[in-house]
């Protein structure tokens, strides 16, 4: 389950700021993690993934950090834009490769200009 | 590259009825997973299909069933609909790469309302 104090259901930032969204995962055996962005009326959109043999991975304006010791995942968004406003979910792969994704509680990111 | 498409986009049913939802996987993908997303919650795994067989199932009753076809498209069937079945049903496709995790890509879902 979620670790109290790590997960914020909402995050409000100003355009141009950097955003950090946190997630605690539940299963120490999970070996694959994904961040999704979900806009209103849409399905989750893949942002970035990371495997358990890594602790950091960078994409375009996004960075994912994985701390297996405390079972914590974070998504950093650089120079946040109004178009980044959405609900963000972390998901862990539990069990054999390619089966169920277990989703965390979402964080609603609001970006004001 | 064609993404995941789902039909219909919206559906209204009454308790006790049956429903079939459809999903076309992204081109090049051979695995389809179905999720239920209640309002304000994260998606919950229903089941996954690979090579036309169920390849994992979440905590959903047997009245939730599925199919996968040779072209990798899939159906989700729900019998004896209950009010709590009202939700967004999401389909995700991925490529099974011999035990190496690959990202699941989602469609925009079917919004099912039970009256």
């Amino acid at each position: 389950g979620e670790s109290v104090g790590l997960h914020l259901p909402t995050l409000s930032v100003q355009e141009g700021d950097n955003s950090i969204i946190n997630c605690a995962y539940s299963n120490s055996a999970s070996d694959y993690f994904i961040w999704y962005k979900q806009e209103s009326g849409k399905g989750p959109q893949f942002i970035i993934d990371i495997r358990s043999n890594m602790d950091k991975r960078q994409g375009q304006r996004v960075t994912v950090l994985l701390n297996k010791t405390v079972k914590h995942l974070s998504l950093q968004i650089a120079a946040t834009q109004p178009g980044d406003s959405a609900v963000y979910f972390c998901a862990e792969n539990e069990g054999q490769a390619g089966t169920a994704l277990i989703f965390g509680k979402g964080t609603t990111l609001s970006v004001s200009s | 590259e064609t993404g995941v498409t789902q039909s219909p986009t919206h559906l209204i049913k009454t308790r006790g009825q049956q429903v079939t939802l459809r999903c076309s996987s992204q081109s090049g993908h051979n695995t389809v997973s179905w999720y239920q997303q209640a309002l304000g919650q994260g998606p919950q795994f229903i089941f996954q299909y690979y090579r036309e067989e169920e390849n994992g199932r979440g905590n959903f009753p047997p009245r939730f069933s599925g199919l996968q076809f040779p072209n990798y498209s899939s159906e989700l069937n729900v019998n004896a609909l209950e009010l709590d079945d009202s939700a967004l049903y999401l389909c995700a496709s991925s490529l099974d790469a011999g035990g190496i995790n690959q990202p699941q890509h989602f469609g925009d879902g079917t919004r099912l309302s039970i009256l």
Side-chain angles (χ1 to χ4, degrees), chain B residues 37 47 61 63 91:
Chain B
Q37 186 176 25
F47 43 55
R63 60 189 185 84
C91 171

mmCIF file of all heavy atoms in Angstrom, chain B residues 37 47 61 63 91:
data_model
loop_
_atom_site.group_PDB
_atom_site.id
_atom_site.type_symbol
_atom_site.label_atom_id
_atom_site.label_comp_id
_atom_site.label_asym_id
_atom_site.label_seq_id
_atom_site.Cartn_x
_atom_site.Cartn_y
_atom_site.Cartn_z
ATOM 1 N N GLN B 37 -11.671 0.793 -14.400
ATOM 2 C CA GLN B 37 -11.304 1.998 -13.666
ATOM 3 C C GLN B 37 -12.560 2.684 -13.143
ATOM 4 O O GLN B 37 -13.333 3.255 -13.917
ATOM 5 C CB GLN B 37 -10.493 2.959 -14.536
ATOM 6 C CG GLN B 37 -9.961 4.156 -13.757
ATOM 7 C CD GLN B 37 -9.076 5.068 -14.587
ATOM 8 O OE1 GLN B 37 -9.182 5.132 -15.806
ATOM 9 N NE2 GLN B 37 -8.175 5.775 -13.918
ATOM 10 N N PHE B 47 -8.045 -9.195 -16.557
ATOM 11 C CA PHE B 47 -7.321 -10.351 -17.074
ATOM 12 C C PHE B 47 -6.497 -9.950 -18.283
ATOM 13 O O PHE B 47 -6.592 -8.834 -18.792
ATOM 14 C CB PHE B 47 -8.233 -11.535 -17.423
ATOM 15 C CG PHE B 47 -9.510 -11.203 -18.147
ATOM 16 C CD1 PHE B 47 -9.513 -10.480 -19.341
ATOM 17 C CD2 PHE B 47 -10.734 -11.614 -17.631
ATOM 18 C CE1 PHE B 47 -10.690 -10.186 -19.997
ATOM 19 C CE2 PHE B 47 -11.928 -11.326 -18.288
ATOM 20 C CZ PHE B 47 -11.898 -10.615 -19.467
ATOM 21 N N PRO B 61 -15.036 -11.738 -10.633
ATOM 22 C CA PRO B 61 -15.817 -12.979 -10.670
ATOM 23 C C PRO B 61 -15.895 -13.561 -12.080
ATOM 24 O O PRO B 61 -15.605 -12.862 -13.069
ATOM 25 C CB PRO B 61 -17.205 -12.525 -10.182
ATOM 26 C CG PRO B 61 -17.264 -11.072 -10.489
ATOM 27 C CD PRO B 61 -15.863 -10.558 -10.326
ATOM 28 N N ARG B 63 -18.240 -14.027 -14.027
ATOM 29 C CA ARG B 63 -19.145 -13.397 -15.004
ATOM 30 C C ARG B 63 -18.399 -12.392 -15.892
ATOM 31 O O ARG B 63 -18.963 -11.909 -16.869
ATOM 32 C CB ARG B 63 -20.341 -12.758 -14.284
ATOM 33 C CG ARG B 63 -19.998 -11.693 -13.278
ATOM 34 C CD ARG B 63 -21.226 -11.269 -12.453
ATOM 35 N NE ARG B 63 -20.878 -10.166 -11.587
ATOM 36 C CZ ARG B 63 -20.889 -8.908 -11.991
ATOM 37 N NH1 ARG B 63 -21.270 -8.611 -13.212
ATOM 38 N NH2 ARG B 63 -20.548 -7.939 -11.155
ATOM 39 N N CYS B 91 -8.681 -1.175 -22.306
ATOM 40 C CA CYS B 91 -7.929 -2.247 -22.948
ATOM 41 C C CYS B 91 -6.506 -1.750 -23.164
ATOM 42 O O CYS B 91 -6.290 -0.567 -23.500
ATOM 43 C CB CYS B 91 -8.596 -2.588 -24.274
ATOM 44 S SG CYS B 91 -7.661 -3.698 -25.321
#
